[in-house]
C-alpha cells in the first residue's frame, strides 16, 4: 500500500539548512510553498531500489520516432539503450531547470525507483574543450546547486557531481588560487546536496587511465570527498570495469574507505588503444555498451554500476558528422548497440 513520506525531525533540520543556504545565495524560486507530500510505494522504502528509466531520454524519443516510421528492426536495436536506466544531465541554468529536476525525482519516487542526476555546471567547465561552459561565477554556481538541492526535497536521488572537475584541476586546467577556489566550491556543493537526507552524492574522481590515485586523492579530500557518499569513476570514458575496480580500491584505501560507482555505459570493449589522445575519448570507433546499470554489484565498495554518460549522445564535434557534445548521435548509438 502506498503511504505518505514521513518528514522526521532530522529532515526538518536539513530543510532549514537548505533554506538558509538559498537565502544566502539569493535563490528565488516560484515554488515557495511547502512541498506536497510525495507518495512513495512501500517497495521504495526498503532494500536496494531499482534505477529509474527516464521516458523522456534522447534514446527513448528516437525509438518512438523509428517506430512511427515503421523501422521496427532499428527501433529494437536502440531499445538496448532506451530501456536501460541512464543519468539525466543538468548542464545549464536555462529557465525551468529546477522544475525539470523536480518532475524527474517525483516521477521516479512515485515509481519506487532511484533517479540518477549528473550535475555539470562548474565555472570554466571542461577547460574550454568540447563541453566548455558552466556558471559565470562561484555565486551563480551556488544559486544553481541550491535550486537543484531544493528541487530534490523529500525524495531520493543519486547525484554524480561535476565530471572531470577535480581531475582537470589536478592536471593544471586551473592553478593557484583559482584551483583552490574550485575545490572549495565543490566541497560546498557536496555539503549543500547532503542537506537532503534522500540524496546520495558521488564526487567525480576521473578514471584509471587519467590521473594516478595517489596524485588525485589529496585534491578529492579538498573537494569534499570525505563528506560525499562516495566517488564516481569512468564517467563518459571507456576504461574496463576490472581496471576501475582496481583504481577505486586504491582510492578507497587513500580516502578512508570511500565507496564508489562506475560508469559502465560504453566500456564493453574497453578503451581504444591507438590514435590521437582526443580520438581515444571523443566518440572512439569500435566501442560497445557495458554491463547493465544496477545497484546490486556484489562488491563491498561498489554501490552501483551506472550508465552516467547516456549512450548515443556525442562526446563532441570530433570527426565527420559528429554533433556537439551531449547531442543525440544516431550513427554512434547504432554502433554501440549492435
Amino acid at each position: 500500500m502506498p503511504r505518505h513520506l514521513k518528514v522526521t525531525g532530522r529532515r526538518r533540520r536539513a530543510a532549514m539548512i537548505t533554506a538558509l543556504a538559498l537565502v544566502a545565495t539569493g535563490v528565488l524560486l516560484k515554488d515557495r510553498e511547502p512541498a506536497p507530500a510525495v507518495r512513495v510505494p512501500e517497495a521504495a522504502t526498503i532494500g536496494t531500489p531499482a534505477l529509474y528509466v527516464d521516458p523522456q531520454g534522447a534514446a527513448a524519443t528516437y525509438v518512438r520516432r523509428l517506430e512511427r516510421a515503421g523501422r521496427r528492426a532499428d527501433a529494437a536495436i536502440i531499445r538496448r539503450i532506451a530501456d536501460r536506466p541512464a543519468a539525466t544531465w543538468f548542464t545549464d541554468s536555462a529557465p525551468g531547470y529546477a522544475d525539470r529536476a523536480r518532475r524527474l525525482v517525483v516521477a521516479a519516487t512515485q515509481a519506487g525507483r532511484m533517479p540518477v542526476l549528473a550535475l555539470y555546471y562548474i565555472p570554466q567547465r571542461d577547460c574550454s574543450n568540447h563541453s566548455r561552459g558552466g556558471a559565470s561565477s562561484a555565486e551563480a554556481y551556488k544559486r544553481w546547486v541550491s535550486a537543484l538541492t531544493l528541487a530534490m526535497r523529500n525524495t531520493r536521488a543519486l547525484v554524480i557531481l561535476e565530471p572531470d572537475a577535480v581531475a582537470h584541476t589536478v592536471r593544471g586546467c586551473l592553478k593557484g588560487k583559482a584551483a583552490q577556489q574550485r575545490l572549495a566550491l565543490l566541497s560546498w556543493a557536496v555539503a549543500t546536496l547532503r542537506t537532503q537526507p534522500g540524496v546520495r552524492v558521488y564526487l567525480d574522481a576521473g578514471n584509471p587511465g587519467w590521473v594516478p590515485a595517489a596524485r588525485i586523492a589529496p585534491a578529492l579530500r579538498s573537494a569534499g570527498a570525505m563528506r560525499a557518499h562516495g566517488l564516481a569513476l569512468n564517467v563518459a570514458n571507456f576504461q574496463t570495469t576490472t581496471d576501475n575496480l582496481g583504481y577505486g580500491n586504491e582510492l578507497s584505501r587513500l580516502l578512508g574507505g570511500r565507496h564508489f560507482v562506475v560508469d559502465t555505459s560504453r566500456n564493453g570493449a574497453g578503451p581504444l588503444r591507438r590514435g590521437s589522445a582526443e580520438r581515444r575519448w571523443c566518440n572512439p570507433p569500435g566501442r560497445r555498451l557495458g554491463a547493465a546499470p544496477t545497484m546490486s554489484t556484489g562488491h563491498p565498495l561498489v554501490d552501483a554500476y551506472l550508465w552516467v554518460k547516456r549512450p548515443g549522445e556525442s562526446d563532441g564535434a570530433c570527426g565527420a558528422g559528429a554533433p556537439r557534445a551531449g547531442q543525440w548521435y544516431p550513427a554512434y548509438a547504432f554502433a554501440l548497440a549492435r
Side-chain angles (χ1 to χ4, degrees):
M1 294 289 292
R3 65 180 177 81
H4 288 291
L5 185 67
K6 295 180 179 179
V7 180
T8 65
R10 179 181 298 175
R11 287 184 179 177
R12 290 192 186 96
R13 289 192 294 274
M16 290 177 65
I17 293 170
T18 302
L20 290 172
L22 291 168
V23 170
T25 55
V27 169
L28 298 175
L29 297 176
K30 292 182 291 184
D31 180 12
R32 289 175 178 267
E33 297 300 317
V38 178
R39 296 183 67 82
V40 182
E42 289 289 341
T45 66
I46 58 175
T48 300
L51 294 162
Y52 181 64
V53 178
D54 181 4
Q56 304 306 316
T61 300
Y62 192 63
V63 164
R64 292 191 290 269
R65 177 180 165 187
L66 291 171
E67 289 177 338
R68 286 195 300 269
R71 296 171 58 186
R72 298 193 178 279
D74 286 342
I77 293 171
I78 300 301
R79 278 196 177 279
R80 297 169 191 167
I81 297 172
D83 290 348
R84 300 289 192 185
T88 299
W89 287 62
F90 291 83
T91 63
D92 59 45
S93 60
Y97 71 92
D99 293 335
R100 182 165 65 96
R102 183 66 183 169
R103 289 193 297 270
L104 174 70
V105 297
V106 168
T109 298
Q110 291 176 337
R113 307 225 164 204
M114 177 76 83
V116 179
L117 289 74
L119 274 53
Y120 191 48
Y121 194 54
I122 197 77
Q124 300 183 62
R125 184 179 67 201
D126 199 33
C127 293
S128 299
N129 208 327
H130 289 290
S131 295
R132 66 178 65 87
S136 60
S137 67
E139 289 307 310
Y141 184 71
K142 287 183 177 182
R143 289 192 295 271
W144 186 81
V145 171
S146 293
L148 288 174
T149 300
L150 185 59
M152 290 183 278
R153 63 198 181 275
N154 298 342
T155 65
R156 293 192 304 182
L158 193 157
V159 171
I160 307 299
L161 183 61
E162 295 300 342
D164 301 344
V166 176
H168 272 152
T169 303
V170 172
R171 290 294 299 270
C173 173
L174 301 174
K175 300 181 184 297
K177 186 177 180 180
Q180 294 173 7
Q181 288 175 338
R182 169 175 282 191
L183 298 179
L185 190 57
L186 288 167
S187 182
W188 177 91
V190 170
T192 300
L193 290 161
R194 288 222 54 178
T195 61
Q196 294 298 336
V199 175
R200 299 187 62 82
V201 185
Y202 291 83
L203 177 65
D204 189 79
N207 64 73
W210 195 358
V211 183
R215 185 178 173 194
I216 200 172
L220 289 167
R221 281 183 179 271
S222 297
M226 305 309 289
R227 286 198 207 99
H229 291 89
L231 307 171
L233 308 183
N234 203 47
V235 172
N237 211 276
F238 304 85
Q239 303 296 318
T240 67
T241 300
T242 297
D243 286 349
N244 275 284
L245 293 180
Y247 184 62
N249 288 338
E250 187 176 358
L251 282 172
S252 183
R253 287 193 296 270
L254 294 168
L255 295 169
R258 295 295 91 186
H259 285 212
F260 55 96
V261 298
V262 178
D263 184 355
T264 61
S265 58
R266 305 180 300 173
N267 73 347
L272 186 68
R273 301 294 183 183
R274 294 179 294 179
S276 67
E278 180 178 86
R279 190 58 171 153
R280 291 197 294 272
W281 67 260
C282 194
N283 304 320
R287 303 310 93 196
R288 296 290 181 268
L289 300 175
T294 180
M295 295 185 73
S296 299
T297 68
H299 190 293
L301 291 175
V302 183
D303 290 347
Y305 296 130
L306 303 174
W307 284 10
V308 182
K309 173 67 178 182
R310 297 162 74 96
E313 294 184 6
S314 179
D315 294 311
C318 45
R324 63 186 178 86
Q327 296 299 298
W328 180 248
Y329 188 3
Y332 203 65
F334 279 113
L336 288 167
R338 281 194 171 102

